[in-house]
């Protein structure tokens, strides 16, 4: 407790304490280094409740640890609210997964760039919360990834998508897989069981992983990816261009496909730089025997240009937004009808 300190002085005091802790300690033959993180909660002795002050200090401590440890942070009400929302969402997501209420899988069709035939769909998780309404995956996936919930959610999406795709006239169903799922040593086994149960041939499943899932901290491919590849499941590198992988590193990797990130695709008509980047990615991918999909195709002009550049498959709002199961089934039905008429 530092009576009369404002947050600036409290921060200076905490920094000094952290510095003092850094001094090495000789313990027999060993030198021991310790470090400390500090959370600071300003309070009024007259107004504030003791337990609440400790809780706020804990929130600030969490923030200090999240900022890389060995530092001090002052309590931040906005962060507190965000943490509370995450806590609520995690509990509600668990309940939703247990009952199945509010969780759905939507499908976005993927088109052959040359023929504009539907060749694949990407499965995308959706959550309708009973009080907050629709929660975007960019918010609930990280919540799920911070707990075992991602395993439940991931298995649910996989099974639902494989079952739907087994009956649909498409080549491939693409399913996003989190790095947390890949770290599970049983994951390839889980996938094999799902394929057997749903009757989907392994080569019709394409799992999408991001660069952060691809290489572990030692720079090697996770064993699970190699096992999945051996099962015959296809593997796509998602959001390519947003991380640090070079195309050179892809040559001996397990990938079958590269998905070119939306950020290079969205403005391709206005930006000649983006055309050059996409062309380079497509040329190198082709040389390595990999297929390409461009994501985020929002205009007819972009679709035409991307086909010219040589992308194999196209996906984006210009073709279709992600659709619920029934909408996707209907679209495929109409699509097959129109192909029959063309033929
Ligand atoms: P993603 O894998 O890159 O998925 C593509 C996202 O781009 C989807 O957003 C899709 O709705 C959106 N999109 C498609 N075409 C266009 C377009 O033309 N313009 C624009 N502006 N956006 C387009 P969504 O459904 O919100 O998903 C966001 C992310 O959440 C996904 O990015 C994926 O990383 C993650 N995600 C979704 N479902 C799952 C899941 O079942 N498991 C895991 N691990 N992650 C998932
Ligand atoms: Ca994806
Ligand atoms: Ca993507």
């Amino acid at each position: 407790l530092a009576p009369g300190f404002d947050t600036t002085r409290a921060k200076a005091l905490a920094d000094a304490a952290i510095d003092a802790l850094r001094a090495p300690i000789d313990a027999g033959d060993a030198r021991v280094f310790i470090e400390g993180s500090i959370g600071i909660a300003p309070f009024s002795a007259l107004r504030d409740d003791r337990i609440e002050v400790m809780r706020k200090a804990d929130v600030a401590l969490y923030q200090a640890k999240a900022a890389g440890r060995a530092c001090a942070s002052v309590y931040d009400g906005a962060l507190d609210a965000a943490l509370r929302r995450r806590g609520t969402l995690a509990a509600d997501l668990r309940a939703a997964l247990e009952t199945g209420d509010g969780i759905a899988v939507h499908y976005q069709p993927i088109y052959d760039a040359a023929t504009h035939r539907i060749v694949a769909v990407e499965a995308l998780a959706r959550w309708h919360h009973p009080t907050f309404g629709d929660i975007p995956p960019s918010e609930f996936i990280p919540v799920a990834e911070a707990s075992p919930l991602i395993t439940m959610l991931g298995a649910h999406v996989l099974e639902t998508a494989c079952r739907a795709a087994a009956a649909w006239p498409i080549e491939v169903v693409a399913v996003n897989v989190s790095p947390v799922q890949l770290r599970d040593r049983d994951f390839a086994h889980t996938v094999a069981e799902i394929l057997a149960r749903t009757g989907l041939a392994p080569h019709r499943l394409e799992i999408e992983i991001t660069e952060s899932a691809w290489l572990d901290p030692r720079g090697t491919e996770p064993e699970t990816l190699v096992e999945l590849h051996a099962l015959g499941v296809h593997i796509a590198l998602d959001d390519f261009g947003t991380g640090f992988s070079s195309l050179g590193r892809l040559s001996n990797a397990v990938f079958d496909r590269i998905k070119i990130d939306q950020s290079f695709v969205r403005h391709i008509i206005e930006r000649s730089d983006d055309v050059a980047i996409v062309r380079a990615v497509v040329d190198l991918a082709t040389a390595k025997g990999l297929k390409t999909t461009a994501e985020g195709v929002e205009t007819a002009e972009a679709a035409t240009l991307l086909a010219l550049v040589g992308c194999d498959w196209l996906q984006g709002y210009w073709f279709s937004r992600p659709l619920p199961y029934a909408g996707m089934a209907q679209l495929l039905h109409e699509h097959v009808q129109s192909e029959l008429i063309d033929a």
Side-chain angles (χ1 to χ4, degrees), residues 122 176 208 238:
E122 178 174 359
N176 296 286
E208 296 192 0
D238 205 354

Side-chain angles (χ1 to χ4, degrees), residues 217-289:
R218 286 167 301 155
T220 50
E221 278 177 349
E223 196 62 26
T224 351
L225 268 189
V226 180
E227 288 167 7
L228 285 166
H229 197 62
L231 277 179
V233 170
H234 286 190
I235 299 170
L237 184 56
D238 205 354
D239 304 340
F240 185 78
T242 56
F244 298 101
S245 325
S246 71
L247 275 167
R249 294 212 62 174
L250 297 178
S251 50
N252 305 312
V254 288
F255 299 109
D256 301 282
R257 175 179 304 281
I258 289 174
K259 294 193 82 170
I260 304 167
D261 191 64
Q262 317 197 352
S263 55
F264 303 105
V265 172
R266 201 168 306 135
H267 306 288
I268 195 156
I269 292 299
E270 307 96 78
R271 294 197 201 145
S272 57
D273 287 12
D274 288 352
V275 183
I277 291 169
V278 171
R279 181 171 284 133
V281 173
V282 170
D283 288 351
L284 276 156
T286 311
K288 305 254 180 237

Side-chain angles (χ1 to χ4, degrees), residues 122-124 174-177 208-210 238-239 259 295 315:
E122 178 174 359
L124 295 157
V175 180
N176 296 286
V177 168
E208 296 192 0
I209 62 162
T210 52
D238 205 354
D239 304 340
K259 294 193 82 170
E295 294 189 274
Q315 175 180 3

Side-chain angles (χ1 to χ4, degrees), residues 11-150:
K11 182 86 168 45
L13 178 65
D15 287 340
I18 291 166
D19 277 344
L21 278 173
R22 273 207 191 93
I25 298 166
D26 285 318
D29 295 340
R31 274 208 125 178
V32 181
F33 295 87
I34 59 171
E35 60 181 29
S37 305
I38 296 182
I40 300 166
F43 71 102
S44 147
L46 296 174
R47 215 176 41 235
D48 292 312
D49 167 65
R50 178 170 54 89
I51 305 217
E52 181 60 7
V53 173
M54 284 302 289
R55 197 192 61 79
K56 287 181 173 171
D58 216 37
V59 169
L61 178 62
Y62 169 90
Q63 192 182 359
K65 288 181 177 169
R69 298 172 177 274
C71 63
S73 282
V74 179
Y75 171 80
D76 168 356
L79 176 83
D80 193 0
L83 285 174
R84 281 171 189 253
R85 182 172 159 101
R86 276 183 82 116
T88 310
L89 289 182
D92 297 348
L93 183 58
R94 171 175 300 276
L97 282 167
E98 275 161 6
T99 59
D101 292 343
I103 302 284
V105 181
H106 284 196
Y107 301 90
Q108 187 174 30
I110 302 175
Y111 291 72
D112 182 285
T115 63
H116 286 200
R117 267 181 55 243
I118 299 178
V119 279
V121 297
E122 178 174 359
L124 295 157
R126 293 291 179 265
W127 182 23
H128 185 81
H129 187 280
T131 47
F132 302 142
D134 289 330
I135 312 269
S138 54
E139 186 171 7
F140 73 78
I141 298 287
V143 170
E145 283 177 333
S147 71
L149 291 174
I150 191 66

